[in-house]
Amino acid sequence: MAAYLQWRRFVFFDRETVKEPPGPDGAGGKSFALPPGIAVCDSGRGSLVFGDILRGGGRRRCRAAAIWFLPRSLQLSSFQAYKLRVTHLYQLKQHSILVSVGEDEEGINPLVKVWNLEKRDGGNPLCTRIFPAIPGNKPTVVSCLTVHENLNFMAIGFADGSVVLTKGDITRDRHSKTQILHEGSYPVTGLAFRQSGKTTHLFVVTTENIQSYMLSVKDYPHLELDTHGCGLRCSSLSDPSQDLQFIVAGNECVYLYQPDERGPCFAFEGQKLIVHWYRGYLVIVSKDRKTSPKSEFAGNEAQNSDKQVLNVYDLCNKFIAYSSIFDDIVDVLAEWGSLYVLTRDGKIHVLQEKDTQTKLEARKSMLFRKNLFEMAINLAKSHHLDSDGLSEIFRQYGDHLYNKGNHDGAIQQYIRTIGKLEPSYVIRKFLDAQRIHNLTAYLQTLHLQSLANADHTTLLLNCYTKLKDSSKLEEFIKTSESEVRFDVETAIKVLRQAGYYSHAVYLAEKHAHHEWYLKIQLEDIKNYQEALRYIGKLPFDQAESNMKRYGKILMHHVPNETTELLKILCADYQPAGDNEGPGMLEGKKANSEEFIPVFANNSRELKAFLEHMTEVQADSPQGVYDTLLELRLQNWAHEQDEQIKEKLHSEALTLLKSGRFKTVFDKALVLCQMHNFKDGVLYLYEQGKLFQQIMHYHMQNEQYKKVIEVCELYGDQEACLWEQALGYFARKEEDCKEYIAAVLKHIENKNLMPPLLVVQTLAHNSTATLSVIKDYLVNKLQKQSRQIEQDEQRIEKYREETTRIRQEIEELKASPKIFQKTKCSICTSALELPSVHFLCGHSFHQHCFESYSESDSECPTCMPENRKVMDMIRAQEQKRDLHDQFQHQLKCSNDGFSVVADYFGRGVFNKLTLITDLPSGKAATTIEAGLQRELLVHTKRST
């Protein structure tokens, strides 16, 4: 009794008396009354079902032993089921099947009837089966009845201790089999089927024992669970919330049973009259001989002993949900979401459970006042309160414990609010250094639920570092990648700042934060070898970018290893440890030119790198060759050892001759000039056809023989070299007669300069006497004399020919022309008529002339020569016009050289040689010579 009195009491049900529905006139409000004589009742399928007993005679007799149905509309209906009495009813919850036990005649002869409420027979439900309820041949009274919801089992208990089991379709005689399952000496007071998966059990309780039968196994093995029983209607089966346990209510305790063992018990004293299970509640109607204490449930006056107490227990949360006193309860039924209490006076009392929110608010307000938070939490869970409501209870519980100084308990409650309560609310309470353990626990759980942000990660890691809890720190960061519940980059930053470099490096490597890994290795740990090894394992793109970023640092500390990695990266890169074979990253080669800045102050490694790239990759970027050339020239210029210097000289020249500097000719030339690399400069001048620069280079170095050699080698390609050489030697005050004579000889042979210009050029040299140019002038005058003689002879010849031609013209004009040709000038066959004759003396067959002639008025034989002469005449006339125009522009222009260059560009002077062969003779020669001389003199003055 003590345990019972300690349970909290609540009023979670509202009690009302069922009223009659209002009539047509609106009158109503009277308490609804059942017919007298109600003996048994049940509920289900939307109705309360009652069975009555035959009483007295008259009108009542004809309606005796009826089964009544009371729907929610309170419109009673009935039909006669038996002639004498209805003793038992069982309404299935999942089928419209009602099973009844009653009597049609006096004596002990109970009948079982199965009714199908959906089918009708003369207006009444259809009775699908009738059979006598007698175990064997012994007449005995039926004490209890139960039916399985699958309609395959029905059990009937008798007062003599027998239990009859019907297996098969209980609605048909032919498809079922009846047998005696249990025999005993004590009356059977309760039966209940329990279905768990495919296993079916039948609980049998008598006044003295409790047994469990397994019906899904052959021979129905049974087990005795206890050696005490209960009275009629004092047993029930719980719902899944209590694991479908069989409840047996004795006068001292209430016991719960599994099919194979006894479960918990509850000390509810008092004589039990009725036991039911309703929505997780245990409903007990008991008769208490003691005076009930004063309470809000019992009223203000003490209750007499003939009163019955109805208690509604919550076994999970151990409280009484409702308690009230009734007069002579017939039964308690559950339908339409409420409990209906039938009393002997025919009244029906409804117990309507309050809504969840109302119950919780009432309970919480009382429990919170009494600081019974655990009970409040259990109540909320049992009523399936949403997570927001539970979180609020946890928060208040946590606040309560925090205010009491129980920080460990408070943090556990706050942890249960994660996901609902803002973390900052909790964190602010535990920022004190003395409570860092509690804060750590909260933050750990926050991360486990993947609800932490970067700030939470920072705070948790700081807690670990403050506590110096390396084991927890390692456990936190060494979770598998699929379980990471924090911002990795934030963790790396915090660990680095706290000096936990190894942990930070571990995280960075594990989660591929390459930049952070290298930054810590290089800036904090100073492990350059490991950083370089790590880069060598990265994919190409990341390896390339990190070498550009950290290459200078690595080159400074580990130059050889860094150089080797760059060689691989720029040639045929494969990540270290990659066993998928070459070609996987085919075409992935870094631009070697982009890594040249990495080698600052490491010229030796740079040279090795560049030479390697030119060997393995002939199409390396131009910058590689340019830098390599510059390095070789620098080494050559600073080398003191002659043998090594000669080798470096050969290497530099070989590189220049490799043909890689055609597009950057100027840059290579500047490099050679900067380092005074003579052979390279001359080679580049030669490749660029800069013959004048070659000669000027030798002139600057006063290498006279080289000047002559240059003129001999390239004078045919650039004739002005001889003229420049003559001018160079003419300006020298030294004795250069030998070289001047050689130049003059070549000028004379090639007729490169007018004699007067030669004389004017040499006039500036005080050492050049007349004897130097004597031979040149004599030879030149002799040549001119011979040319004059040839020209005079040619003139005489042209005069004679002109005279002859004029005579022929006169003869043609004054005398007849006799054609004496006998052969065709084309086919050389004998001439036949018709024929064609020309004044030039040629004759042709008409058909030959028509076949070969291009014009009817020209002789086919003479036409090529005539056209050549005519072309010469036209050219002469055109040149004459060009000469006048050229002279005019030359005199009027401020920049005579540009005029000359323009005419040269148009190719005007390229045809002057044709004029020397014109019949006009000396006149044409004079024009050409004068024009050329004037042009040459004017050009010299302009330069």
Side-chain angles (χ1 to χ4, degrees):
M1 190 64 178
Y4 166 74
L5 292 176
Q6 289 177 357
W7 282 29
R8 299 288 173 179
R9 292 171 177 255
F10 300 94
V11 183
F12 288 161
F13 289 82
D14 293 326
R15 173 179 172 176
E16 293 181 2
T17 301
V18 177
K19 305 293 185 180
E20 290 184 353
D25 57 354
K30 294 173 58 178
S31 296
F32 182 83
L34 289 172
I38 296 298
V40 293
C41 54
D42 201 358
S43 63
R45 308 297 292 177
S47 295
L48 304 182
V49 185
F50 312 107
D52 63 6
I53 304 173
L54 175 64
R55 292 174 182 264
R59 294 180 57 195
R60 182 75 184 112
R61 189 171 214 31
C62 67
R63 294 178 55 82
I67 294 178
W68 300 77
F69 294 95
L70 181 65
R72 198 165 193 176
S73 61
L74 303 181
Q75 301 296 323
L76 269 173
S77 62
S78 66
F79 71 94
Q80 184 175 349
Y82 296 91
K83 295 179 180 179
L84 291 180
R85 63 180 63 85
V86 180
T87 60
H88 297 82
L89 290 174
Y90 192 94
Q91 172 67 58
L92 278 78
K93 304 299 184 287
Q94 299 177 12
H95 304 277
S96 296
I97 299 295
L98 175 66
V99 180
S100 64
V101 178
E103 298 176 2
D104 282 339
E105 56 188 23
E106 297 291 345
I108 303 175
N109 188 21
L111 290 178
V112 178
K113 294 185 180 181
V114 180
W115 308 89
N116 189 332
L117 303 180
E118 292 181 344
K119 296 181 180 180
R120 294 290 170 177
D121 181 15
N124 297 328
L126 176 63
C127 182
T128 61
R129 183 180 180 186
I130 303 175
F131 65 93
I134 299 177
N137 297 320
K138 298 183 298 182
T140 182
V141 177
V142 174
S143 59
C144 54
L145 167 71
T146 187
V147 182
H148 199 293
E149 288 292 337
N150 62 12
L151 300 179
N152 287 326
F153 293 102
M154 179 170 62
I156 304 173
F158 296 90
D160 67 350
S162 302
V163 176
V164 174
L165 175 68
T166 301
K167 183 178 181 182
D169 188 353
I170 65 169
T171 63
R172 300 175 183 271
D173 289 324
R174 290 181 299 175
H175 298 115
S176 63
K177 180 180 178 182
T178 300
Q179 68 183 84
I180 298 176
L181 178 68
H182 172 80
E183 289 183 329
S185 56
Y186 303 108
V188 177
T189 57
L191 298 169
F193 287 108
R194 181 184 190 272
Q195 187 71 39
S196 178
K198 295 182 179 180
T199 304
T200 305
H201 289 88
L202 174 64
F203 290 103
V204 178
V205 58
T206 69
T207 57
E208 298 297 332
N209 59 31
I210 303 170
Q211 298 191 31
S212 169
Y213 286 83
M214 184 181 291
L215 304 183
S216 54
V217 178
K218 189 178 180 181
D219 298 334
Y220 307 139
H222 69 281
L223 177 66
E224 186 174 17
L225 300 176
D226 217 332
T227 57
H228 59 79
C230 66
L232 285 173
R233 299 196 297 173
C234 290
S235 63
S236 181
L237 189 71
S238 69
D239 59 18
S241 67
Q242 280 291 335
D243 199 20
L244 297 174
Q245 296 186 91
F246 187 55
I247 301 171
V248 177
N251 291 334
E252 301 297 330
C253 294
V254 174
Y255 300 92
L256 277 66
Y257 296 91
Q258 293 284 357
D260 55 354
E261 63 180 352
R262 191 177 81 176
C265 67
F266 300 91
F268 301 150
E269 293 185 352
Q271 183 182 352
K272 312 299 188 300
L273 302 177
I274 301 173
V275 174
H276 286 293
W277 186 267
Y278 168 73
R279 288 188 175 184
Y281 294 112
L282 177 62
V283 180
I284 297 179
V285 177
S286 60
K287 187 173 183 180
D288 194 351
R289 295 183 178 181
K290 297 181 180 180
T291 303
S292 300
K294 293 183 179 181
S295 68
E296 57 180 312
F297 312 104
N300 295 325
E301 297 181 359
Q303 304 297 321
N304 298 324
S305 60
D306 58 347
K307 299 294 183 179
Q308 296 174 354
V309 181
L310 183 146
N311 290 318
V312 181
Y313 298 96
D314 187 331
L315 300 183
C316 292
N317 299 306
K318 295 181 174 56
F319 67 86
I320 301 174
Y322 183 76
S323 181
S324 184
I325 296 175
F326 293 86
D327 293 328
D328 199 3
I329 297 176
V330 175
D331 206 344
V332 180
L333 304 177
E335 192 65 26
W336 309 309
S338 301
L339 286 173
Y340 290 86
V341 182
L342 280 65
T343 55
R344 192 64 61 188
D345 57 6
K347 294 182 180 180
I348 302 177
H349 304 272
V350 59
L351 301 181
Q352 179 69 44
E353 187 177 10
K354 297 179 180 180
D355 63 90
T356 302
Q357 191 62 35
T358 301
K359 291 189 294 183
L360 290 176
E361 289 299 329
R363 282 183 292 181
K364 285 194 295 182
S365 61
M366 185 190 76
L367 293 174
F368 289 174
R369 286 196 304 268
K370 299 180 179 181
N371 297 327
L372 298 176
F373 291 97
E374 288 291 349
M375 181 174 289
I377 292 170
N378 294 333
L379 291 175
K381 288 182 178 179
S382 65
H383 286 82
H384 309 291
L385 184 64
D386 60 20
S387 56
D388 291 333
L390 278 172
S391 177
E392 177 60 20
I393 298 175
F394 294 142
R395 183 194 66 78
Q396 294 186 34
Y397 192 13
D399 291 345
H400 170 71
L401 295 175
Y402 182 85
N403 294 330
K404 289 176 62 178
N406 184 1
H407 298 128
D408 293 339
I411 203 65
Q412 294 304 318
Q413 299 307 316
Y414 287 135
I415 286 174
R416 300 168 80 175
T417 67
I418 290 177
K420 298 298 180 181
L421 182 63
E422 177 61 36
S424 59
Y425 177 86
V426 180
I427 293 172
R428 283 195 299 267
K429 291 177 176 289
F430 292 90
L431 285 177
D432 192 334
Q434 296 178 354
R435 301 168 191 168
I436 193 169
H437 292 86
N438 304 125
L439 180 59
T440 303
Y442 179 81
L443 292 172
Q444 282 177 339
T445 310
L446 198 64
H447 282 81
L448 287 175
Q449 297 187 19
S450 302
L451 296 173
N453 57 29
D455 293 332
H456 299 148
T457 301
T458 302
L459 189 56
L460 177 58
L461 291 174
N462 282 326
C463 288
Y464 284 141
T465 56
K466 295 291 184 183
L467 294 171
K468 300 189 182 301
D469 193 346
S470 298
S471 60
K472 285 287 186 181
L473 180 59
E474 290 185 6
E475 181 183 352
F476 177 74
I477 67 174
K478 291 185 178 181
T479 55
S480 63
E481 190 167 351
S482 60
E483 297 177 354
V484 174
R485 299 180 176 89
F486 57 88
D487 184 77
V488 175
E489 185 170 357
T490 300
I492 294 173
K493 291 179 182 178
V494 175
L495 291 171
R496 185 190 183 199
Q497 185 177 4
Y500 285 77
Y501 301 127
S502 60
H503 296 78
V505 164
Y506 172 84
L507 271 183
E509 183 175 11
K510 180 179 179 181
H511 299 282
H513 285 260
H514 309 308
E515 181 179 353
W516 280 108
Y517 180 91
L518 294 172
K519 187 178 293 187
I520 296 170
Q521 288 283 15
L522 295 174
E523 298 178 7
D524 301 319
I525 304 178
K526 310 292 185 183
N527 192 342
Y528 305 104
Q529 291 281 6
E530 182 61 27
L532 196 64
R533 180 198 63 78
Y534 185 82
I535 293 176
K537 296 193 303 181
L538 296 179
F540 171 79
D541 293 335
Q542 296 172 359
E544 180 186 25
S545 62
N546 282 294
M547 281 306 295
K548 290 178 181 178
R549 181 175 301 165
Y550 303 109
K552 289 185 179 180
I553 299 175
L554 293 170
M555 183 62 66
H556 177 71
H557 293 89
V558 281
N560 294 332
E561 293 82 353
T562 305
T563 303
E564 291 303 316
L565 179 57
L566 286 175
K567 288 179 181 179
I568 298 173
L569 187 64
C570 297
D572 186 16
Y573 179 74
Q574 291 287 334
D578 192 342
N579 298 320
E580 296 189 21
M584 186 192 69
L585 297 175
E586 185 175 355
K588 288 285 188 178
K589 299 177 181 179
N591 186 346
S592 50
E593 184 178 2
E594 296 177 355
F595 292 96
I596 292 176
V598 170
F599 294 88
N601 303 321
N602 294 82
S603 58
R604 181 173 61 85
E605 286 76 14
L606 175 59
K607 182 182 177 185
F609 171 72
L610 297 176
E611 288 177 345
H612 173 79
M613 293 310 303
T614 56
E615 291 173 4
V616 301
Q617 191 176 341
D619 59 343
S620 294
Q622 185 61 45
V624 172
Y625 288 93
D626 295 345
T627 308
L628 180 59
L629 175 62
E630 184 176 1
L631 276 176
R632 288 183 174 179
L633 291 175
Q634 286 179 357
N635 294 339
W636 172 80
H638 296 91
E639 184 58 50
Q640 301 298 326
D641 191 313
E642 290 299 328
Q643 292 183 352
I644 300 177
K645 193 177 185 73
E646 182 63 28
K647 180 182 178 181
L648 294 175
H649 178 279
S650 175
E651 290 178 353
L653 195 58
T654 302
L655 183 59
L656 276 175
K657 293 181 179 180
S658 65
R660 297 293 307 183
F661 299 93
K662 294 180 180 179
T663 58
V664 289
F665 174 84
D666 294 340
K667 185 174 183 179
L669 183 60
V670 169
L671 288 173
C672 291
Q673 290 173 341
M674 286 174 56
H675 297 88
N676 197 25
F677 189 57
K678 172 184 174 183
D679 292 344
V681 171
L682 294 176
Y683 172 77
L684 292 173
Y685 281 159
E686 182 180 357
Q687 293 299 307
K689 299 186 182 302
L690 302 176
F691 307 129
Q692 294 187 35
Q693 280 81 350
I694 296 175
M695 191 173 67
H696 289 162
Y697 182 85
H698 292 309
M699 289 178 178
Q700 291 175 359
N701 293 281
E702 297 185 350
Q703 296 174 335
Y704 302 148
K705 290 184 179 181
K706 292 291 185 180
V707 172
I708 299 300
E709 289 177 4
V710 170
C711 292
E712 290 174 350
L713 287 173
Y714 311 117
D716 294 339
Q717 300 180 49
E718 197 164 343
C720 65
L721 294 176
W722 291 103
E723 300 175 16
Q724 295 177 12
L726 180 63
Y728 169 73
F729 289 122
R731 290 190 297 272
K732 290 293 182 181
E733 296 300 329
E734 303 173 13
D735 187 3
C736 299
K737 294 180 181 180
E738 179 184 354
Y739 304 111
I740 292 175
V743 173
L744 288 175
K745 182 179 180 181
H746 193 84
I747 290 175
E748 178 185 355
N749 293 337
K750 297 294 184 178
N751 195 23
L752 299 177
M753 294 177 65
L756 182 59
L757 187 58
V758 172
V759 173
Q760 291 177 350
T761 301
L762 293 175
H764 301 290
N765 192 328
S766 59
T767 61
T769 59
L770 185 61
S771 61
V772 177
I773 61 171
K774 176 182 177 182
D775 295 338
Y776 167 77
L777 292 176
V778 170
N779 293 335
K780 196 66 177 176
L781 290 174
Q782 288 177 353
K783 285 183 179 181
Q784 287 185 356
S785 297
R786 287 193 296 271
Q787 183 66 37
I788 290 172
E789 291 177 0
Q790 291 176 2
D791 290 343
E792 288 177 349
Q793 291 175 4
R794 190 178 299 170
I795 290 170
E796 186 62 29
K797 177 182 177 182
Y798 286 163
R799 283 177 178 172
E800 292 175 357
E801 188 176 350
T802 301
T803 302
R804 180 181 61 78
I805 291 174
R806 285 177 178 172
Q807 289 177 357
E808 290 180 359
I809 293 173
E810 289 298 327
E811 290 178 0
L812 288 174
K813 288 181 178 180
S815 303
K817 176 69 176 178
I818 300 174
F819 300 102
Q820 298 179 342
K821 291 279 187 180
T822 58
K823 293 183 178 180
C824 176
S825 299
I826 294 178
C827 66
T828 68
S829 299
L831 200 63
E832 298 177 353
L833 295 175
S835 58
V836 179
H837 303 275
F838 285 90
L839 294 177
C840 61
H842 297 105
S843 299
F844 308 92
H845 292 114
Q846 184 174 359
H847 63 274
C848 290
F849 174 76
E850 291 175 351
S851 300
Y852 289 94
S853 176
E854 295 181 4
S855 174
D856 294 341
S857 59
E858 291 189 65
C859 172
T861 304
C862 299
M863 183 166 46
E865 188 66 26
N866 291 340
R867 285 189 177 180
K868 182 178 179 181
V869 173
M870 292 303 295
D871 289 341
M872 288 183 177
I873 293 172
R874 283 194 293 271
Q876 183 179 8
E877 292 176 353
Q878 183 180 6
K879 293 297 182 183
R880 185 181 301 112
D881 295 338
L882 283 174
H883 172 71
D884 295 340
Q885 183 180 358
F886 173 73
Q887 290 290 345
H888 177 72
Q889 290 184 2
L890 196 62
K891 290 179 181 179
C892 296
S893 175
N894 294 328
D895 186 3
F897 182 80
S898 63
V899 176
V900 175
D902 179 57
Y903 274 82
F904 265 110
R906 288 188 287 172
V908 172
F909 301 111
N910 295 340
K911 298 181 181 180
L912 290 175
T913 54
L914 296 174
I915 301 176
T916 59
D917 298 331
L918 291 177
S920 56
K922 188 174 182 180
T925 304
T926 305
I927 292 172
E928 178 191 0
L931 180 60
Q932 189 172 1
R933 186 182 302 108
E934 222 173 53
L935 175 61
L936 187 58
V937 172
H938 187 79
T939 302
K940 278 292 185 179
R941 289 175 180 175
S942 300
T943 56

